[in-house]
Amino acid sequence: MPGLALLALLALLLSGCAPARAYFAEERWSPESPLLAPRLFLALICRNAEHSLPYFLGTIERLNYPKERMALWVATDHNKDNTTAILLDWLVKMQTLYHNVEWRPKEEPQHYRNEDGPKQWTDLRYEHVMKLRQVAMDSAREMWADYFMLADCDNLLTNPDVLWKLMQENKTIVAPMLESRAAYSNFWCGMTYQGYYKRTPAYIPIRKQLRKGCFAVPMVHSTFLIDLRKEASRQLAFHPPHPEYSWAFDDIIVFAFSAQMADVQMFVCNKETYGYFPVPLRSHNTLQDEADSFLHSLLDVNARNPPVMPSKYIRVPRKQSDKLGFDEVFMINLQRRSDRRERMMRALIEQGIECKVIAAVDGKATNISEINSMGIHMLPGYNDPYHGRPLTKGELGCFLSHYNIWKEVVERRLHTSLVIEDDLRFEIFFKRRLMNLMREVKDEGLDWDLIYIGRKRMQVDHPEKAVPNIHNLVEADYSYWTLGYMISLQGAKKLLKAEPLKRILPVDEFLPIMYNKHPVPAYMEEFETRDLKAFSAEPLLVYPTHYTGDQGYISDTETSTVWDNDKVRTDWDRARSGKTGEQAEISTEAQNSDVLQSALDSTARDEL
């Protein structure tokens, strides 16, 4: 049997090639353990950040990175608020979790010499920040850290894997692209020969993630990672400026020049959503403006994402709530949409707004006998102007929800009320801008019935008439949506007196009829008295959280069944929807350019 003997010998030889448990007990071994995470040095320089620290530090705590491989370097100075105490309290509770913590506070002075306000950047302030960053990077090098990271104290790093994602890019300097309420982000695509920002066609496709990747750019700022293992990183410096530097004395430009001189390319990555930050304010703005701006960033994140929670080690005081000067604030919510209710209640609490939740009428749950018992009949000849279909059960429920509020306004004799739906997002400085508007309306003695604060302007051929002596107010033309509006007692009486249930149509078609601005004369002829005095905030103060085609968009009004027949579905082609999409572009000639603008408007405008 020579063949069998040969096979046995071959098997014995092959078995010697596999990992053996060992011939002798002393030769046994275990598989190699994984590498430790790279050593990360995180530098935080905070000033007047009391409003943002609970949420910023919460995102730092939740980073998916071993804290024992991280060192924290924290500096704060020139504060007029409680920043120092919050940071110290947090560091005391967290210091045992991190490899090392260095604390560099400075209580006095509270402002820089020749500083007009806390948002002004003087040369002294630029120099001080550059020196602090240099000291932090020198400390990281002395500690033999593998990576050095800077993060501004109002940047919300909501992606817990952001550190690993950036490290995987293997770049000397790399930043996670941060989202904001505007086109603004933490990178530039172009730079002039004098070191200033330059608009380029490459910026918007990256900012809007039409192009995804990791892109070479001349400037990153706010939050970025430096790989100290790279040889060229030794030449990087925040201070002093490079001997050949002659550009503006600005911390981010000085560092970008240093990177150029070291032949180090900066990169920004937008492969995922990594975090959010507020648009920077101007030198004349106040700390309250900054707090409100950060709050808006926080609400914007929460509108489409799981809420950003504060640090579990920092107590966030509950804000005092009020009704903005209205007799009542109504928030309409379907009971089965608890997700929307929870999000809206959180947003209102954050802004210090007290409201009464109104259980919306669920049109999908109504049957024909209930409809008949309420004496409801559809407006003769009504067809949806975009889809050629009759009223849906969802639209019926929406109308009845608003109708019930109008009845409550009259029954309780509420002179002014605010009505909001549960699928909106608030504009920056919402509370102050709304209260300022209502104060001017009252001071001018304006006779009004309804004022939109959120709508879709459908008449886009010519401008609406500005209201004299009142900032941010126009006479409303044909509009859609009932996202948010103010209603007076006399306005509610007019709407009820029209007996709309006898000839019902969608509520956002009914309102323009009542102020005599509907484009279909046949619909208006059904209502003899059309004297509702309707106006609109300009610019608007609330917008939808989602538009048609957006990920997560759900319509509770349009995707249902015909109002009197459960067997007829009304799902529609969302790509062609004119009603639920974004506002149509308004030509230059049709812009409401004559409206008086308030000081807060310039701050709220989008900017790069």
Side-chain angles (χ1 to χ4, degrees), residues 137-432:
M137 189 160 65
D138 289 343
S139 297
R141 288 166 172 158
E142 291 169 7
M143 197 176 286
W144 296 95
D146 297 308
Y147 289 93
F148 173 73
M149 187 174 190
L150 275 173
D152 286 353
C153 297
D154 58 0
N155 292 191
L156 298 172
L157 300 177
T158 54
N159 188 327
D161 297 320
V162 61
L163 293 173
W164 291 112
K165 301 285 186 182
L166 295 179
M167 290 176 183
Q168 287 168 5
E169 296 298 334
N170 193 28
K171 308 294 186 187
T172 307
I173 302 176
V174 61
M177 189 188 80
L178 299 179
E179 305 280 344
S180 79
R181 63 178 172 83
Y184 180 80
S185 190
N186 60 322
F187 70 98
W188 298 359
C189 275
M191 183 183 285
T192 68
Y193 290 115
Q194 294 78 33
Y196 291 110
Y197 177 81
K198 179 182 178 182
R199 291 178 182 269
T200 71
Y203 182 84
I204 292 299
I206 295 174
R207 172 65 184 86
K208 293 189 174 181
Q209 294 180 300
L210 302 175
R211 295 176 62 208
K212 286 191 175 183
C214 214
F215 302 95
V217 293
M219 164 73 77
V220 295
H221 58 85
S222 300
T223 291
F224 55 89
L225 185 74
I226 300 175
D227 189 343
L228 297 179
R229 303 170 305 171
K230 304 276 188 178
E231 186 175 349
S233 72
R234 297 179 179 181
Q235 301 175 53
L236 297 173
F238 293 96
H239 191 273
H242 192 276
E244 297 180 24
Y245 188 79
S246 60
W247 294 348
F249 198 67
D250 182 299
D251 60 324
I252 64 173
I253 302 176
V254 166
F255 184 67
F257 187 88
S258 170
Q260 286 186 20
M261 292 297 99
D263 202 23
V264 171
Q265 178 64 60
M266 291 179 164
F267 289 85
V268 66
C269 290
N270 71 346
K271 295 178 181 178
E272 301 179 21
T273 298
Y274 300 104
Y276 301 78
F277 72 155
V279 173
L281 302 182
R282 301 175 186 182
S283 59
H284 67 269
N285 287 112
T286 65
L287 291 182
Q288 184 59 55
D289 293 339
E290 188 170 41
D292 287 349
S293 177
F294 177 80
L295 173 59
H296 180 263
S297 297
L298 188 67
L299 297 180
D300 241 20
V301 178
N302 296 348
R304 295 190 175 207
N305 304 279
V308 178
M309 303 305 293
S311 164
K312 58 185 178 181
Y313 299 101
I314 300 175
R315 179 181 170 274
V316 180
R318 187 177 179 89
K319 295 178 181 175
Q320 291 291 323
S321 294
D322 57 54
K323 296 181 180 180
L324 305 166
F326 294 98
D327 295 320
E328 190 61 271
V329 176
F330 297 98
M331 193 267 281
I332 302 173
N333 168 256
L334 276 170
Q335 287 186 321
R336 56 183 165 86
R337 295 307 303 268
S338 59
D339 55 330
R340 289 183 175 179
R341 181 170 60 254
E342 290 168 7
R343 184 194 69 81
M344 277 296 293
M345 290 305 297
R346 190 179 296 111
L348 292 168
I349 290 170
E350 286 284 357
Q351 296 177 94
I353 300 173
E354 180 184 339
C355 80
K356 177 179 181 180
V357 179
I358 296 295
V361 176
D362 194 342
K364 294 180 181 179
T366 58
N367 57 52
I368 192 62
S369 61
E370 290 175 314
I371 293 171
N372 290 336
S373 68
M374 287 186 280
I376 295 174
H377 300 280
M378 195 166 75
L379 183 80
Y382 173 75
N383 273 301
D384 180 274
Y386 287 97
H387 314 298
R389 54 152 177 77
L391 189 76
T392 71
K393 276 198 166 185
E395 289 170 332
L396 173 62
C398 180
F399 193 109
L400 292 175
S401 302
H402 287 272
Y403 184 83
N404 289 342
I405 289 176
W406 304 336
K407 287 202 302 182
E408 183 170 339
V409 167
V410 173
E411 289 167 1
R412 292 174 57 192
R413 298 195 60 77
L414 303 174
H415 291 280
T416 61
S417 301
L418 176 67
V419 182
I420 54 176
E421 295 180 344
D422 64 0
D423 55 349
L424 59 78
R425 60 178 179 83
F426 298 92
E427 276 293 88
I428 187 172
F429 307 134
F430 168 78
K431 187 172 183 178
R432 279 196 281 166

Side-chain angles (χ1 to χ4, degrees), residues 437-494:
L437 174 59
M438 287 310 296
R439 184 162 43 251
E440 288 194 23
V441 165
K442 183 178 180 180
D443 290 346
E444 281 296 314
L446 182 69
D447 186 14
W448 66 277
D449 296 322
L450 181 141
I451 301 176
Y452 290 104
I453 63 168
R455 60 169 178 156
K456 180 175 181 178
R457 183 179 159 193
M458 301 304 292
Q459 183 285 110
V460 294
D461 297 325
H462 54 267
E464 295 167 306
K465 184 179 178 181
V467 177
N469 303 322
I470 298 179
H471 291 87
N472 310 116
L473 196 65
V474 295
E475 295 181 10
D477 211 316
Y478 181 41
S479 304
Y480 270 167
W481 299 345
T482 48
L483 282 175
Y485 60 88
M486 298 175 269
I487 190 164
S488 68
L489 176 58
Q490 69 175 6
K493 287 179 177 179
K494 288 179 181 180

